[in-house]
Amino acid sequence: MDPMETPSNDRADERAVRQEWRHSMDRTADLKAAGDPTDPTVPAVAAEPPAPTTAADVPAAPAAAPEAPAAATSSSGHPAHVADPRDLVLAIRGLRVSFSGNEILHGVDIDAPRGGVVALVGPSGCGKTTLLRSVNRLTELAPTASITGEVQLDGSNIYDRGTDLNLLRRRVGMVFQQPNPFPMTIFDNVAFAMREQAKTRPSRSSLMPAVQDVLQRAGLWDEVKDNLDRNALSLSGGQQQRLCIARTLAANPEVILMDEPCSALDPRSTARIEELIVQLAGSLTIVIVTHNLAQAKRIGDYAAYLLNGDVIEQGLAQQVFEDPTEQSTRDFVSGMFG
């Protein structure tokens, strides 16, 4: 049977079946379209800067809490991290991404308040990974990619000509779905970014305090402190992912992008990564793609629901997950499709 057809006795559900089939493609579709580059330091050709956005394009802060205090409580029970939801570290405006003429994102607008956790949710193939990779210009590494629109980082468009991509990717770090530690020691994995940023190669002893600090922030120090010369590839999956987070933290980023960082991990490791995300938020901004709605509810301050390359709804996580305004969002968060 053609996958777009339904039995005659299911005609009433034909629309729902069609929608579910269209979005049941494997999540690797976006990565395959982008060529799945894994080197976040490869330089790329800058895109033409689009027309600047206006203040009218910026959504107003939620009326109920225009200046939410840092001590407010989120729907997940942990303290909300965002002191002022109008203080945007990231503002995505009219972002369109195509591969070989096939448009994946259709004029996306998304806000990421400073110090918060923004969860991107939606069915497989809806463009979440493409969106995430576009925020530090990894998408354009695919030769067939075409990108228009703006990604404003602290008010500056990262797609402007002359953008320093190495600096950008230090300010906006990326943690991938599969842990990808470098084939070197634990110490050298963390020290890598520090050495790259130094004018002269620092000694191991001078780097040790910073390496320890980063591993402690990543919740890994107590497990590896006695064997920092161990090959990082010998660590467990959960430890490798925390090491990758530590390696990202070593560059002192303002934003960390996480593409399903727990999907390959066991429940215990997942819980530790979630705890780590909550601890890191506030000091930096985290944008996470996840297929796990329960996880998004637990750790998200804000949420955006994507479907078919469009942002259907975004706002406070509690509102998006518990009282959505769009029927499509209600269907998705209730498990009718996804």
Side-chain angles (χ1 to χ4, degrees):
M1 178 182 295
D2 187 279
M4 294 292 289
E5 296 180 351
T6 56
S8 58
N9 60 349
D10 289 336
R11 291 187 184 278
D13 295 328
E14 182 177 356
R15 183 178 179 183
V17 172
R18 285 172 179 267
Q19 184 182 48
E20 182 172 357
W21 181 82
R22 289 190 185 101
H23 301 290
S24 65
M25 66 183 71
D26 188 88
R27 68 167 302 279
T28 57
D30 292 336
L31 290 177
K32 289 179 180 178
D36 194 18
T38 57
D39 182 1
T41 63
V42 176
V45 178
E48 288 285 348
T53 56
T54 65
D57 294 324
V58 182
E67 294 191 30
T73 301
S74 73
S75 60
S76 58
H78 62 75
H81 306 105
V82 183
D84 186 346
R86 296 171 298 186
D87 180 15
L88 302 180
V89 65
L90 281 174
I92 300 170
R93 296 290 178 263
L95 184 66
R96 294 181 179 273
V97 178
S98 302
F99 297 103
S100 300
N102 179 31
E103 193 167 79
I104 305 298
L105 297 178
H106 315 303
V108 166
D109 292 350
I110 286 183
D111 296 337
R114 192 179 310 277
V117 178
V118 181
L120 304 180
V121 299
S124 296
C126 69
K128 301 185 300 297
T129 291
T130 296
L131 172 61
L132 201 69
R133 296 171 72 90
S134 298
V135 175
N136 70 348
R137 294 184 57 171
L138 289 179
T139 298
E140 67 193 60
L141 298 180
T144 63
S146 174
I147 304 167
T148 61
E150 292 191 355
V151 177
Q152 299 173 11
L153 176 63
D154 283 330
S156 298
N157 182 18
I158 69 171
Y159 283 94
D160 281 345
R161 287 184 179 274
T163 297
D164 184 333
L165 295 184
N166 287 327
L167 176 59
L168 170 65
R169 289 165 185 155
R170 289 200 296 266
R171 296 178 66 191
V172 183
M174 182 96 177
V175 176
F176 297 91
Q177 179 184 21
Q178 293 290 337
N180 60 341
F182 298 148
M184 54 181 67
T185 68
I186 295 169
F187 181 92
D188 288 335
N189 263 269
V190 178
F192 182 84
M194 302 174 187
R195 288 170 173 154
E196 288 295 306
Q197 295 178 34
K199 293 182 180 180
T200 58
R201 185 174 178 86
S203 66
R204 179 185 175 102
S205 60
S206 67
L207 290 175
M208 182 60 75
V211 169
Q212 177 178 343
D213 176 68
V214 169
L215 287 172
Q216 286 175 333
R217 292 180 66 195
L220 191 58
W221 173 252
D222 288 340
E223 299 170 38
V224 301
K225 62 182 179 181
D226 296 326
N227 200 359
L228 294 176
D229 291 326
R230 177 181 176 184
N231 191 311
L233 299 178
S234 67
L235 297 173
S236 69
Q239 289 175 323
Q240 287 187 21
Q241 193 65 298
R242 280 182 285 148
L243 179 62
C244 292
I245 293 173
R247 189 179 66 200
T248 301
L249 289 173
N252 294 315
E254 299 170 45
V255 179
I256 295 183
L257 312 174
M258 295 186 171
D259 188 7
E260 295 193 64
C262 303
S263 65
L265 305 181
D266 60 88
R268 178 174 295 182
S269 296
T270 295
R272 299 201 67 172
I273 296 293
E274 289 183 7
E275 181 182 3
L276 173 59
I277 291 171
V278 172
Q279 291 172 349
L280 292 173
S283 61
L284 46 78
T285 302
I286 296 174
V287 183
I288 180 172
V289 165
T290 177
H291 276 85
N292 187 332
L293 287 180
Q295 180 180 78
K297 294 177 185 178
R298 286 192 296 267
I299 66 176
D301 298 303
Y302 286 78
Y305 163 56
L306 282 75
L307 180 67
N308 250 352
D310 294 302
V311 176
I312 305 301
E313 189 162 354
Q314 67 174 307
L316 293 170
Q318 181 176 7
Q319 179 265 315
V320 172
F321 294 125
E322 298 181 9
D323 189 24
T325 60
E326 300 293 330
Q327 183 61 47
S328 176
T329 313
R330 289 194 289 272
D331 291 344
F332 179 74
V333 299
S334 66
M336 292 185 64
F337 73 95

